[in-house]
Amino acid sequence: MTATVTSIAACAAASAAYVSPPTPVLVSTLPTGVGADVHVYRDTDGSLSSECTGCGEYAWTLRVTREFAQEHAAACLRRPHPLAA
């Protein structure tokens, strides 16, 4: 039987070295017709992503544009999810 021994100090040093990635920046919020919102974010690589508080759709691609988010906001018929508020 073999055992692996890891010191607590080594684990603490590894977790202290971890740096979380930068968070995306909210650039706009577009209301849907039924009270939900589509949030548009600028990601750290310059691309856009969007997330709908109604249907939960998350879109990320280098091709996501504000117009894409506007089309989703116009078409989404799901009310806001109670946990999304």
Side-chain angles (χ1 to χ4, degrees):
M1 175 189 257
T2 51
T4 302
V5 178
T6 304
S7 73
I8 293 173
C11 290
S15 64
Y18 175 76
V19 176
S20 62
T23 56
V25 176
L26 179 67
V27 293
S28 63
T29 298
L30 308 168
T32 66
V34 292
D37 292 312
V38 177
H39 300 291
V40 180
Y41 299 93
R42 172 138 341 260
D43 298 314
T44 56
D45 64 359
S47 64
L48 294 178
S49 60
S50 64
E51 185 171 20
C52 180
T53 63
C55 69
E57 178 181 274
Y58 175 80
W60 176 86
T61 178
L62 293 174
R63 294 192 180 112
V64 169
T65 62
R66 183 173 166 81
E67 291 76 24
F68 173 87
Q70 288 172 327
E71 288 175 16
H72 182 82
C76 185
L77 301 176
R78 301 263 326 252
R79 296 189 183 282
H81 189 279
L83 298 178

